[in-house]
Amino acid sequence: MKYECEVCGYVYDPAVGDEENGIAPGTAFEDLPDGWECPLCSAGKDEFKPAE
């Protein structure tokens, strides 16, 4: 499942990950480190919601 940042609209796709920030493809949103932030606006994980 993809997750969307409610602040800026960035979509985290587990299939892609966030390699620029050390998150490998295949990493589930729930498995992201607690300190992970949106790569576009630096919002915390609590600002993300499941994307439709």
Side-chain angles (χ1 to χ4, degrees):
M1 176 180 293
K2 297 178 183 179
Y3 285 79
E4 181 178 2
C5 177
E6 294 185 291
V7 176
C8 73
Y10 169 82
V11 175
Y12 176 76
D13 182 350
V16 176
D18 179 17
E19 291 195 272
E20 287 185 15
N21 293 296
I23 307 299
T27 303
F29 184 80
E30 296 80 12
D31 295 334
L32 292 171
D34 290 336
W36 181 82
E37 297 177 336
C38 176
L40 297 184
C41 72
S42 300
K45 285 176 64 177
D46 59 338
E47 296 290 342
F48 281 74
K49 65 177 181 184
E52 297 296 323

